[in-house]
Amino acid sequence: KQEVTQIPAALSVPEGENLVLNCSFTDSAIYNLQWFRQDPGKGLTSLLLIQSSQREQTSGRLNASLDKSSGRSTLYIAASQPGDSATYLCAPLNSNYQLIWGAGTKLIIKP
Amino acid sequence: GAGVSQSPSNKVTEKGKDVELRCDPISGHTALYWYRQSLGQGLEFLIYFQGNSAPDKSGLPSDRFSAERTGGSVSTLTIQRTQQEDSAVYLCASSFQGPGETQYFGPGTRLLVL
């Protein structure tokens, strides 16, 4: 059974810092991995999708890497801004085509 | 609208009552998904539709839960004889062709069972 762990559970940093969010998963038989953000009281917004054959994906200030064999993904946020404050969720797509979710990292960027 | 919509946004019901939750996917998206987000439990997969058929119902927590999709568009998640542990946010998502693509989420329905 796929288990997803996100570290840290919460992170508070001053504006402008670069930061890394970590995600690990126990079953490397995945099709892809997605990173989402969730704002309080709202739905989920997809940030990046990395196919299992890819090593990384970039979108603006966000860069996600994937090491499938070791069961790890990282989300790098450059030059953080207060608007980046949200909960970040990682979700690998398992062999049954189900997204399996981590508990998330709650990020607070202080102005 | 351009995004996934869900209704109602909030629902309060009494234990034992039936509830129906509705999801309108993005137009043209053939795949539709239901998830549940419970306090302290995180997000869990419930069911996935490809067109009108549901290849995977394994995530439905009990036989009180059922879902259907008609016309390859709107989906309804029905919970019969609701229990307090059913209280959660129910999220719907859609993708263009299948699970291997980016899933776009609606704002969710917050269900409270008293």
Side-chain angles (χ1 to χ4, degrees):
Chain A
K1 179 185 173 184
Q2 178 77 279
E3 294 183 359
V4 181
T5 303
Q6 290 189 245
I7 294 173
L11 183 62
S12 180
V13 300
E15 179 179 7
E17 285 199 6
N18 302 323
L19 48 97
V20 175
L21 308 182
N22 296 291
C23 170
S24 62
F25 47 95
T26 55
D27 185 353
S28 61
I30 64 169
Y31 286 105
N32 63 40
L33 184 143
Q34 293 186 54
W35 283 92
F36 295 85
R37 68 174 279 169
Q38 186 170 32
D39 294 276
K42 297 186 179 179
L44 293 140
T45 302
S46 179
L47 298 172
L48 289 162
L49 183 153
I50 312 177
Q51 299 293 349
S52 62
S53 59
Q54 296 176 319
R55 298 286 291 183
E56 65 179 78
Q57 277 284 344
T58 298
S59 176
R61 293 182 295 107
L62 305 179
N63 176 280
S65 68
L66 175 64
D67 184 342
K68 195 177 84 161
S69 60
S70 67
R72 295 182 183 182
S73 178
T74 62
L75 179 67
Y76 176 82
I77 303 176
S80 58
Q81 302 171 358
D84 295 332
S85 298
T87 296
Y88 289 80
L89 295 155
C90 119
L93 185 72
N94 71 6
S95 54
N96 293 327
Y97 294 107
Q98 297 177 4
L99 282 177
I100 306 300
W101 300 84
T105 292
K106 185 175 181 179
L107 178 62
I108 296 174
I109 307 297
K110 297 175 287 187
Chain B
V4 178
S5 60
Q6 294 185 244
S7 61
S9 54
N10 291 280
K11 176 72 177 178
V12 181
T13 190
E14 294 179 350
K15 178 181 173 182
K17 301 283 190 183
D18 298 351
V19 295
E20 281 190 356
L21 312 179
R22 176 188 168 106
C23 172
D24 278 279
I26 293 172
S27 178
H29 279 195
T30 61
L32 184 148
Y33 317 83
W34 284 98
Y35 297 91
R36 178 169 72 173
Q37 189 170 30
S38 307
L39 190 63
Q41 296 258 351
L43 270 152
E44 59 179 321
F45 167 85
L46 296 179
I47 190 169
Y48 147 56
F49 287 92
Q50 189 67 49
N52 290 335
S53 63
D56 190 352
K57 301 181 181 180
S58 64
L60 294 176
S62 77
D63 58 9
R64 295 185 296 105
F65 287 71
S66 63
E68 64 176 14
R69 189 180 186 196
T70 55
S73 182
V74 171
S75 177
T76 302
L77 177 69
T78 301
I79 309 173
Q80 296 178 308
R81 305 181 302 281
T82 52
Q83 303 294 312
Q84 289 181 331
E85 61 263 28
D86 299 334
S87 297
V89 177
Y90 290 82
L91 292 163
C92 174
S94 69
S95 65
F96 181 54
Q97 288 187 318
E101 302 168 335
T102 298
Q103 296 185 21
Y104 297 89
F105 280 76
T109 293
R110 188 174 299 273
L111 174 66
L112 178 61
V113 182
L114 301 176

